[in-house]
Amino acid sequence: MKRYLTHSLGSMLLATLLSFVPGVLHAQNGAKVYEGAEAARQVPKARYVRINSNTRFPARVTFQDDQPVRRQNFTSWFRTTFKASSDLDLRSLKSNQDDLGNTHYRYVQTYQGIPVDMTWLIVHTKGDQVYSFNGHMVDVNPLSTTAGISEEQALTIAKQIVGAARYKWEDPKEEEMLKERTNDPNATYFPQGELLFVHESGDVRPASGNYVLAWKFDIHEVSSVLDQTIYIHAGTGQVIKSIPLVINCDPGTAATTWNGSQTIQTDYVPGDNNYILLDDCPGHGTIRTVQEAGLADYTDADNVWNAAGQTGPATTHYHARKTMDYFQTIHSRNSYDNAGAGIQLRHRANTANAYYAGAGVIIIGADALDANYYNTLDVVAHEFTHGVIDFEANLVYQGEPGALNESFADILGETCERWAENNMNVDWLHREDYYNGNNRSFINPNDKNDPDTYDGTYWAPTCNGCGDAGGVHTNSGVQNHWFYLLTVGKNGTNDNGDNYSVSGIGLVKARTITYDNLTNELGVNSDYADARDGAIAAAEARYGICSNEVLQVKNAWFAVGVGADGQAINGLEGKSITFSPDYCQEDPGPVIGLNSSDAKHNYQLKTIGGANLGSPVPGTGSAIYFGIYPNGTYKVVVTDASCTGSITATSSSTRGNCTVTVPSFCSSCGDGNQIPVSLKTNAPAGQTWTVKARTGLYLPFNPYPLVPLNTPLPYIGGNMYKLDASRASDKGFWVKVTNGFTDLDVMVGNPW
């Protein structure tokens, strides 16, 4: 865990889940969720929208396939669509291309060029087209836009708050080893102040509202126990909040003899005629295992590490390499930063704990007995994962984001152990090899007084000043249990009294969805509602909208009390093919369509033999049309490969008589030079009628230009298309309209 220090963050209150209503699936933490046509009414061309209660900007938007937003235009589109201040901007942080070829761009919000704390946005693209975005954006009301105290003055205050005897930047060896680990000759622990806008409350998930300028510092001291991020009010010098930087696990010790005889990579030091625990082999970041006291190396003359005081450190070293190999092999990730950074494992004497101290440093509890070192494989992998989290979602260590931070570390620690042990001895327990027993259960979190349901039994308070940084180690049980259910499956009843049924999708798919969620979907203050959305988005991207994987992700979250359950879909539920009962004189046949459609799907009309007819048509949340085709038997499918259903129907429409009329016009209306007229075409719905030719027909506004060719006649319902126009007061007009097959014309008076 991260130790909670001072000036704790804002509370996160749970809102009651709302009953299902069309378009709004549920509300959680005050958030509203919209799908289909309801989503498109919230955001143009959206098929899914979630809006939190404390900011008007969406937490997530997923677009229909035909949306027009391009990444290079995204910021201006965002400002226009949500009527945001021109002072709002986005600063690029980094981008990541996944193995599907999609690119995920991370941004922080700025106001007048200054970053806004705890804000973030991830823009997901295929090529240059944005298919989704999510994050936490706010309206900023700045109480001040200039700093009253300097960075140097603020740092002096921050150091007084930490109160350490010695800081890492004051230790030459710490500085030297930081440069070595990061492969950066300019790297330093000396705090670099960052000027930010911070919500006056200091909340983890800040609302729109009053923001103050603050200096932010990361302070590292030699023991790492007091390491923290501190925010100093840039006007008053008061501490707004501080967040611990040291991440550790629950207290305990570990046996190290279960691995048997293993090969480890070491380094020979000729001057000392000794080997040290330094793995600097090519292909991954360096791994160095040392004593914390003086950062002294462990040494051995014959490179056989089997003596007392050696097997514990050597096992730590071996587990660190296994962890690195797991992330490289399974997730194609090169170290915690995905850029090959080295890690250092420091053994702290007489300590029953483990910590992630930042910048690739992991502190492992050591004991007089090698078998009691706190270095089981899942513990080492857990701490390493905290480093991954810092470089990806950067989940703040408080309340729900902190619980997710711990849970992701638990999950990937478990999957690393399963991979290294070839799925042998599967027990779904964290730290089970430790001689004093496990401390967390994926199968039954309640067994360790952890919740298996959101806000259920054993749910810990997440408020300001609450213990364990707002229950980060306790409330992590919810996502841990979600991962178990998603992997294995189960039927049961949760603490809300909801009956659930989850069919497991297996470890490989479950860990892939989880890793994609962490690295591509979440941000600094993501909560459980965000985690659900992100997991669904990750499953949709990898396995398809209609896939069983998406269904089970939803079912597993429902089982742990987050969101609604899933419904098996093929994209054609409740849909039927429609044919206009008659068709125009020259048309080859009726208009073919669907009685309803879902905004998240595209629909393809096919011949009964399977040949495509025209291009896929995006769903709208209502009826759609494919076009005019001869009478016959047709098939409709959803284009997403995971949506395997199809429907068929046969038409028996008859030829009718379509007409174009000018039912009435007001000869005394207009400006004396032009008289308004309405042109109406009576024809089946789902067609496209346009002006093919005209004389004397004008647009109904000054300076009254001729109606352009190909001007559409909008459909107004009741099998009627209408175009409002005008004619000269002293002349008539003639016009011809067409649907591509049938031409109709009408003349009123003498246009010549």
Side-chain angles (χ1 to χ4, degrees):
M1 71 176 188
K2 280 186 177 177
R3 287 198 180 93
Y4 185 76
L5 299 175
T6 58
H7 306 279
S8 55
L9 306 178
S11 60
M12 300 177 184
L13 301 178
L14 172 67
T16 305
L17 292 175
L18 301 183
S19 301
F20 176 83
V21 295
V24 182
L25 290 185
H26 67 279
Q28 181 141 358
N29 287 3
K32 292 184 178 180
V33 176
Y34 304 88
E35 287 196 304
E38 291 292 336
R41 279 190 274 273
Q42 298 295 320
V43 178
K45 294 290 187 179
R47 66 175 174 86
Y48 178 89
V49 176
R50 180 166 64 86
I51 302 175
N52 288 333
S53 62
N54 62 349
T55 174
R56 65 188 180 87
F57 298 116
R60 178 175 291 273
V61 172
T62 303
F63 290 107
Q64 304 167 20
D65 288 347
D66 66 337
Q67 65 80 24
V69 182
R70 299 293 182 266
R71 187 181 70 85
Q72 56 268 35
N73 304 325
F74 180 81
T75 302
S76 60
W77 174 89
F78 188 94
R79 288 198 199 102
T80 301
T81 302
F82 301 109
K83 297 179 174 59
S85 165
S86 60
D87 290 318
L88 179 149
D89 208 345
L90 297 173
R91 179 180 296 176
S92 177
L93 298 178
K94 66 176 183 176
S95 63
N96 171 56
Q97 187 174 62
D98 61 29
D99 58 353
L100 302 175
N102 301 329
T103 305
H104 312 273
Y105 296 88
R106 286 184 177 267
Y107 300 88
V108 64
Q109 178 185 341
T110 63
Y111 182 85
Q112 296 184 356
I114 299 173
V116 181
D117 182 52
M118 296 295 165
T119 62
W120 55 283
L121 198 74
I122 308 174
V123 178
H124 310 275
T125 65
K126 295 178 181 178
D128 69 342
Q129 181 172 321
V130 178
Y131 66 85
S132 180
F133 68 89
N134 64 290
H136 187 80
M137 302 279 284
V138 296
D139 286 309
V140 174
N141 177 33
L143 299 183
S144 174
T145 57
T146 57
I149 64 172
S150 68
E151 177 183 351
E152 183 179 5
Q153 291 171 317
L155 178 57
T156 299
I157 296 170
K159 289 168 60 179
Q160 291 171 348
I161 296 299
V162 175
R166 194 178 187 206
Y167 296 94
K168 284 186 178 177
W169 63 87
E170 298 171 335
D171 187 326
K173 193 160 188 178
E174 287 279 11
E175 289 281 282
E176 176 187 347
M177 299 188 82
L178 176 64
K179 291 175 171 61
E180 176 186 310
R181 286 195 309 279
T182 60
N183 196 29
D184 179 1
N186 298 315
T188 178
Y189 280 111
F190 188 84
Q192 304 297 314
E194 182 180 11
L195 193 63
L196 303 168
F197 279 110
V198 180
H199 194 274
E200 60 182 354
S201 70
D203 281 349
V204 172
R205 294 181 66 84
S208 296
N210 294 335
Y211 280 73
V212 299
L213 279 176
W215 288 104
K216 174 187 174 185
F217 300 96
D218 288 344
I219 308 292
H220 295 270
E221 51 87 27
V222 292
S223 74
S224 296
V225 173
L226 300 177
D227 289 1
Q228 57 192 280
T229 298
I230 293 186
Y231 294 76
I232 305 296
H233 195 297
T236 66
Q238 294 179 322
V239 178
I240 298 174
K241 61 179 175 179
S242 72
I243 302 171
L245 288 171
V246 176
I247 299 175
N248 62 27
C249 288
D250 293 336
T253 58
T256 61
T257 58
W258 59 86
N259 295 314
S261 178
Q262 297 290 341
T263 300
I264 61 173
Q265 304 299 322
T266 62
D267 201 53
Y268 181 63
V269 183
D272 295 334
N273 294 319
N274 274 321
Y275 295 88
I276 62 174
L277 294 175
L278 171 61
D279 182 347
D280 56 2
C281 297
H284 60 83
T286 59
I287 301 170
R288 192 164 193 161
T289 304
V290 298
Q291 304 170 60
E292 187 182 39
L295 300 180
D297 284 303
Y298 293 97
T299 61
D300 185 81
D302 61 2
N303 211 19
V304 177
W305 302 77
N306 58 3
Q310 291 184 339
T311 58
T315 299
T316 300
H317 198 63
Y318 170 71
H319 282 166
R321 176 60 185 268
K322 277 294 184 184
T323 299
M324 284 271 216
D325 288 349
Y326 163 76
F327 276 91
Q328 181 70 60
T329 302
I330 299 302
H331 302 298
S332 299
R333 187 178 190 88
N334 185 5
S335 192
Y336 65 92
D337 67 345
N338 204 22
I343 64 172
Q344 187 182 79
L345 299 106
R346 303 178 181 181
H347 288 103
R348 178 172 294 176
N350 303 314
T351 298
N353 214 332
Y355 308 82
Y356 181 72
V361 174
I362 298 173
I363 297 173
I364 299 293
D367 191 89
L369 297 176
D370 288 279
N372 290 355
Y373 274 56
Y374 199 91
N375 62 352
T376 61
L377 177 55
D378 53 355
V379 165
V380 173
H382 173 111
E383 301 304 336
F384 180 89
T385 301
H386 282 306
V388 175
I389 294 168
D390 279 0
F391 267 84
E392 297 296 346
N394 194 26
L395 291 158
V396 68
Y397 208 70
Q398 165 68 28
E400 288 189 40
L404 291 171
N405 193 320
E406 277 297 315
S407 177
F408 279 114
D410 277 353
I411 290 169
L412 293 175
E414 175 73 12
T415 59
C416 174
E417 181 182 53
R418 294 274 293 270
W419 171 79
E421 296 179 355
N422 294 316
N423 283 315
M424 302 295 290
N425 305 315
V426 176
D427 49 30
W428 291 100
L429 299 170
H430 179 66
R431 206 191 64 179
E432 71 281 1
D433 291 324
Y434 172 49
Y435 82 95
N436 203 24
N438 67 83
N439 62 346
R440 286 192 284 277
S441 170
F442 288 72
I443 298 176
N444 182 18
N446 287 177
D447 188 50
K448 298 297 177 180
N449 295 335
D450 297 330
D452 62 10
T453 304
Y454 186 90
D455 203 30
T457 303
Y458 299 120
W459 178 264
T462 61
C463 60
N464 285 355
C466 290
D468 189 28
V472 298
H473 288 96
T474 300
N475 297 339
S476 58
V478 173
Q479 186 175 245
N480 286 359
H481 192 52
W482 166 84
F483 183 77
Y484 166 76
L485 295 174
L486 182 64
T487 303
V488 176
K490 183 183 177 183
N491 297 333
T493 304
N494 64 21
D495 291 350
N496 298 327
D498 295 323
N499 297 322
Y500 63 82
S501 177
V502 185
S503 298
I505 64 173
L507 182 69
V508 172
K509 290 180 178 179
R511 76 185 176 199
T512 300
I513 291 169
T514 300
Y515 181 80
D516 287 353
N517 191 13
L518 170 64
T519 56
N520 296 332
E521 304 293 342
L522 302 183
V524 62
N525 54 8
S526 291
D527 59 8
Y528 267 108
D530 290 317
R532 176 186 184 271
D533 279 355
I536 293 169
E540 286 184 349
R542 193 166 288 277
Y543 302 110
I545 295 171
C546 296
S547 65
N548 178 62
E549 289 80 4
V550 171
L551 173 63
Q552 301 312 324
V553 165
K554 293 178 180 179
N555 286 342
W557 278 118
F558 175 70
V560 297
V562 183
D565 59 344
Q567 300 295 325
I569 60 173
N570 61 24
L572 294 166
E573 292 81 4
K575 312 294 187 295
S576 60
I577 300 175
T578 61
F579 303 96
S580 60
D582 54 20
Y583 49 93
C584 298
Q585 298 90 305
E586 303 300 324
D587 293 356
V591 176
I592 303 178
L594 275 184
N595 66 327
S596 64
S597 63
D598 297 320
K600 60 187 174 182
H601 295 310
N602 289 331
Y603 299 87
Q604 177 67 59
L605 180 68
K606 292 176 174 283
T607 66
I608 196 62
N612 289 341
L613 297 172
S615 300
V617 177
T620 63
S622 57
I624 59 172
Y625 300 97
F626 299 103
I628 300 171
Y629 293 94
N631 278 321
T633 302
Y634 294 91
K635 177 192 300 184
V636 171
V637 301
V638 175
T639 58
D640 189 301
S642 66
C643 304
T644 58
S646 67
I647 53 177
T648 60
T650 302
S651 64
S652 58
S653 303
T654 58
R655 193 178 305 277
N657 186 42
C658 299
T659 60
V660 58
T661 61
V662 184
S664 64
F665 57 89
C666 178
S667 59
S668 63
C669 299
D671 61 3
N673 295 316
Q674 292 285 326
I675 298 174
V677 298
S678 289
L679 188 70
K680 292 186 177 181
T681 299
N682 182 262
Q687 300 184 356
T688 300
W689 285 91
T690 61
V691 174
K692 185 175 183 179
R694 77 282 183 261
T695 299
L697 190 66
Y698 303 93
L699 294 177
F701 50 80
N702 196 20
Y704 302 106
L706 276 170
V707 172
L709 297 181
N710 300 315
T711 296
L713 280 68
Y715 184 70
I716 62 172
N719 291 336
M720 190 68 68
Y721 301 79
K722 176 185 176 184
L723 176 65
D724 290 324
S726 68
R727 69 175 179 88
S729 60
D730 58 348
K731 289 184 179 181
F733 69 89
W734 169 82
V735 64
K736 179 184 287 185
V737 296
T738 185
N739 67 357
F741 297 100
T742 297
D743 294 346
L744 303 172
D745 70 329
V746 63
M747 186 167 68
V748 174
N750 183 358
W752 298 281

